[in-house]
Amino acid sequence: LLFLISPFYLASSLGGTGFDLPFNITVWAAATLVIAYSVWYFCGQDKLILPMNYKGLLALPVGILLAAALAGVQDPITWMFRIVYVMAGVLFLFGLFQFRLKNTDRILLLITIATLLHSVVGIIQLFELPVLSSWITRTDKAIATGVFQQVNVMASFLTTGILVSVYLCLRPIAHNRFYLKVFLLITISVATYVMVATGSRIGLLSGILGLLMLLIAYRTQVSKNWKTIFSALLLIVFASVLAKEGLHKTVDKSYQMVEAQYADQRLSIYRISLDAFYEAPIKGHGIGSFLEKFGLASSAFYQQHPTAEMPTYIAHPHNELLQWAIEGGLLALMGILIAMFSVLWFAVKYKQQRLFAYLALLLPITFHTQVEHPFYISSFHWFIWLTLLYVLLNHYVAIRQNPISLMAKKSLRGFVIILLTVTLFFLWQTSQAQQQLYQFINQSQRTPQLDSALSNLYYKTYAEQIVMRSHLHDAITKNDAQKLVQIINWFESELNRTPELKLFEDVINGYIALEMPKQRCETISNSLLYYPANKVLQSIQNDCLVMN
């Protein structure tokens, strides 16, 4: 349900992150069922099964929770969903251990089946095949974005699937099963073609490094199964040559990356992010504060380096560690690093070939988190990554007696049923709200019909902004000064909470309609404190300077 069905809920959407992409809603529904059943199952057992490095892994949620508690709450909704995202992941990971599965290769086989399914979607998009046209999203450029609607997210998943398929070719599950080897080789071929065709540097680089790690770690098995591995490598090369246009795009983007403008812009992002981190290094600025703190640090940086290449708008530093460093400080960052090094320690301590091979399987998505933000776009990646981490840690576990009393177990099971029901209802209602927002924005309605979105916890703030923006345009059309003042005050209160570029635009438009140039210019100056490199804002500020 989680790997093969939930990602293929493809309703109409405008794109974005989180629940803006409908498949994330069904992925969370499936993951919630897994979590709920694992807790229910645990309540019926007399043992608690934990990974050997469970103390190190628990440093991650502990560090994030401490940082979230000490830094304060700037945006309660964002704060809550980010915490739930992390804590649900921890429950998902630890819940899998309770089943004590001895043959995790079957789980990996599910991932390869999912890889082939997503690859087929990519083929349909690349060749613009006239099948499932009302279901699978298409673009004018005929690129393979899959269900994820983003090239690099598609590429990092396919690369993970390719490495898992190569790994299974070396495992006993494929021995003396010709049909399974054929399936794995077909998956490797099709997935490699689509991945290379995307032109993704992330996919190609992590694929090469992961394949080298895997073959070196499993060199004994490679020598025993050299015919299968030679066939797999030959198919990878052949599929890559067939997708040579994608290789050309990869080379072109790699060339652009070393050009001054691109390199300087990425360098500026990292430098500004570090400046924002240094302002509150211990506890951070609070979850959801990145936009504001990065903006203020951008202004200081731009004053010192006015010729530096900078992005006009950015909502993530393209590095997950930097994101948590800014919002959670050293408390969150150390929690993440301790958890990460505890996994590496685990692999080194037990010194088994397959443990290092599992690290290779984790590489593509892990590498992707250090240059972009895949978990914000695809929750599917989050649960795939956690499952691969479980497969790595499952071979050596710590077994403890279940400390929960019989009454507590019954109460916990009742609570799980209630929580599962509430969660599934919320996800269903979020799906309704997402579709309502899509229909309103796509159809450009004058009067918003957003009852579901306004009553939804996830979309409430966004829906309120749309409603007020609609009222703003209506007041401008009717030249209703009194209503304009009320609406502008509302948008300014929102700006105090989240300095979004669109909100500044709304306030500026309101002051233009009221013919209040002084307030308009003050708002423009304030907006440049957060977006100093925005060319449009710079241009209209020049008009203010000329006027003054």
Side-chain angles (χ1 to χ4, degrees), residues 233-245:
L233 295 177
L234 192 63
L235 288 170
I236 288 173
V237 173
F238 182 68
S240 300
V241 172
L242 286 179
K244 58 184 178 182
E245 290 186 6

Side-chain angles (χ1 to χ4, degrees), residues 455-490:
S455 62
N456 180 263
L457 190 61
Y458 184 83
Y459 280 115
K460 179 179 174 60
T461 300
Y462 183 48
E464 287 176 345
Q465 291 179 8
I466 290 177
V467 171
M468 295 302 290
R469 194 165 292 129
S470 177
H471 290 322
L472 173 67
H473 296 157
D474 183 63
I476 290 174
T477 302
K478 296 178 180 178
N479 198 24
D480 188 340
Q482 184 178 1
K483 187 175 181 180
L484 275 172
V485 171
Q486 295 174 349
I487 294 171
I488 290 172
N489 289 337
W490 186 89

Side-chain angles (χ1 to χ4, degrees), residues 136-189:
I136 296 175
T137 55
R138 314 295 173 99
T139 63
D140 296 335
K141 298 181 180 179
I143 56 177
T145 58
V147 305
F148 310 112
Q149 299 187 28
Q150 210 272 355
V151 168
N152 285 333
V153 180
M154 175 71 159
S156 63
F157 170 71
L158 291 181
T159 304
T160 301
I162 293 166
L163 294 177
V164 170
S165 300
V166 173
Y167 171 76
L168 288 179
C169 285
L170 300 170
R171 296 290 297 160
I173 193 174
H175 292 174
N176 301 321
R177 292 179 178 173
F178 179 75
Y179 67 93
L180 183 55
K181 287 186 178 181
V182 170
F183 167 76
L184 292 173
L185 292 175
I186 290 174
T187 301
I188 291 170
S189 305

Side-chain angles (χ1 to χ4, degrees), residues 484-498:
L484 275 172
V485 171
Q486 295 174 349
I487 294 171
I488 290 172
N489 289 337
W490 186 89
F491 276 116
E492 286 182 332
S493 67
E494 285 291 291
L495 279 173
N496 292 331
R497 186 174 58 84
T498 308

Side-chain angles (χ1 to χ4, degrees), residues 86-216:
V86 174
M87 297 308 298
V90 173
L91 287 175
F92 179 86
L93 175 62
F94 279 74
L96 292 179
F97 282 93
Q98 307 317 309
F99 301 105
R100 198 68 183 100
L101 300 175
K102 295 182 179 180
N103 188 355
T104 54
D105 288 347
R106 294 181 180 180
I107 295 179
L108 295 179
L109 188 58
L110 285 177
I111 296 178
T112 63
I113 297 172
T115 301
L116 184 59
L117 292 175
H118 286 273
S119 299
V120 170
V121 173
I123 291 291
I124 293 172
Q125 291 173 327
L126 284 173
F127 292 95
E128 299 179 304
L129 300 178
V131 294
L132 305 174
S133 56
S134 61
W135 181 53
I136 296 175
T137 55
R138 314 295 173 99
T139 63
D140 296 335
K141 298 181 180 179
I143 56 177
T145 58
V147 305
F148 310 112
Q149 299 187 28
Q150 210 272 355
V151 168
N152 285 333
V153 180
M154 175 71 159
S156 63
F157 170 71
L158 291 181
T159 304
T160 301
I162 293 166
L163 294 177
V164 170
S165 300
V166 173
Y167 171 76
L168 288 179
C169 285
L170 300 170
R171 296 290 297 160
I173 193 174
H175 292 174
N176 301 321
R177 292 179 178 173
F178 179 75
Y179 67 93
L180 183 55
K181 287 186 178 181
V182 170
F183 167 76
L184 292 173
L185 292 175
I186 290 174
T187 301
I188 291 170
S189 305
V190 180
T192 298
Y193 177 84
V194 177
M195 187 276 290
V196 174
T198 63
S200 170
R201 297 188 307 271
I202 293 169
L204 189 61
L205 181 59
S206 61
I208 293 172
L209 292 177
L211 192 58
L212 288 174
M213 287 176 59
L214 181 59
L215 296 180
I216 292 172

Side-chain angles (χ1 to χ4, degrees), residues 39-103:
V39 176
W40 181 281
Y41 183 83
F42 161 72
C43 290
Q45 304 299 307
D46 59 354
K47 295 179 181 179
L48 172 63
I49 303 174
L50 299 167
M52 291 296 291
N53 62 329
Y54 70 93
K55 293 180 180 179
L57 293 175
L58 288 175
L60 187 150
V62 169
I64 288 175
L65 287 173
L66 281 175
L70 295 176
V73 181
Q74 181 170 345
D75 184 353
I77 302 301
T78 301
W79 183 92
M80 186 192 74
F81 279 103
R82 290 278 291 280
I83 293 297
V84 167
Y85 198 104
V86 174
M87 297 308 298
V90 173
L91 287 175
F92 179 86
L93 175 62
F94 279 74
L96 292 179
F97 282 93
Q98 307 317 309
F99 301 105
R100 198 68 183 100
L101 300 175
K102 295 182 179 180
N103 188 355

Side-chain angles (χ1 to χ4, degrees), residues 173-456:
I173 193 174
H175 292 174
N176 301 321
R177 292 179 178 173
F178 179 75
Y179 67 93
L180 183 55
K181 287 186 178 181
V182 170
F183 167 76
L184 292 173
L185 292 175
I186 290 174
T187 301
I188 291 170
S189 305
V190 180
T192 298
Y193 177 84
V194 177
M195 187 276 290
V196 174
T198 63
S200 170
R201 297 188 307 271
I202 293 169
L204 189 61
L205 181 59
S206 61
I208 293 172
L209 292 177
L211 192 58
L212 288 174
M213 287 176 59
L214 181 59
L215 296 180
I216 292 172
Y218 251 37
R219 54 191 177 277
T220 303
Q221 286 77 3
V222 169
S223 62
K224 293 179 181 179
N225 299 273
W226 68 270
K227 291 182 180 179
T228 304
I229 294 303
F230 179 77
S231 299
L233 295 177
L234 192 63
L235 288 170
I236 288 173
V237 173
F238 182 68
S240 300
V241 172
L242 286 179
K244 58 184 178 182
E245 290 186 6
L247 286 175
H248 293 159
K249 285 193 289 185
T250 305
V251 172
D252 291 341
K253 287 193 288 187
S254 300
Y255 174 74
Q256 293 172 7
M257 188 175 71
V258 299
E259 286 185 329
Q261 180 176 347
Y262 185 96
D264 288 348
Q265 187 173 112
R266 184 57 66 93
L267 189 62
S268 297
I269 292 172
Y270 292 155
R271 174 67 184 275
I272 294 167
S273 298
L274 288 173
D275 290 343
F277 163 67
Y278 293 147
E279 293 176 6
I282 304 300
K283 60 182 182 180
H285 297 284
I287 294 175
S289 63
F290 171 80
L291 189 65
E292 177 187 359
K293 299 307 176 182
F294 183 88
L296 293 174
S298 296
S299 181
F301 178 81
Y302 192 72
Q303 290 176 7
Q304 296 177 1
H305 310 279
T307 60
E309 290 290 340
M310 296 173 59
T312 56
Y313 180 85
I314 185 172
H316 191 280
H318 295 284
N319 183 289
E320 196 65 20
L321 291 179
L322 280 176
Q323 171 84 1
W324 282 105
I326 293 170
E327 296 189 346
L330 284 174
L331 288 174
L333 189 61
M334 289 304 296
I336 295 171
L337 292 176
I338 289 172
M340 182 180 70
F341 282 113
S342 74
V343 174
L344 295 176
W345 167 85
F346 178 89
V348 171
K349 178 181 179 180
Y350 292 101
K351 297 179 182 178
Q352 284 201 3
Q353 288 181 325
R354 62 182 174 186
L355 299 184
F356 291 101
Y358 292 143
L359 289 177
L361 306 185
L362 285 164
L363 180 65
I365 296 177
T366 304
F367 175 63
H368 195 181
T369 64
Q370 298 310 296
V371 293
E372 281 186 346
H373 45 106
F375 293 151
Y376 296 77
I377 298 174
S378 170
S379 298
F380 186 62
H381 280 58
W382 175 232
F383 292 111
I384 287 285
W385 189 84
L386 289 171
T387 301
L388 292 174
L389 184 59
Y390 159 72
V391 171
L392 166 64
L393 300 174
N394 183 53
H395 300 284
Y396 297 93
V397 296
I399 300 177
R400 305 281 188 267
Q401 287 299 117
N402 192 334
I404 302 178
S405 66
L406 180 62
M407 187 62 191
K409 289 178 180 178
K410 292 181 178 179
S411 300
L412 184 57
R413 279 186 167 179
F415 176 72
V416 165
I417 293 175
I418 295 172
L419 190 60
L420 176 63
T421 303
V422 171
T423 301
L424 292 179
F425 175 77
F426 164 75
L427 291 171
W428 173 82
Q429 205 264 339
T430 301
S431 176
Q432 300 300 306
Q434 186 272 334
Q435 283 299 292
Q436 196 175 66
L437 282 167
Y438 169 78
Q439 290 171 5
F440 170 74
I441 295 172
N442 193 49
Q443 296 173 7
S444 300
Q445 298 176 13
R446 293 291 299 169
T447 304
Q449 301 295 326
L450 299 173
D451 53 308
S452 293
L454 287 168
S455 62
N456 180 263

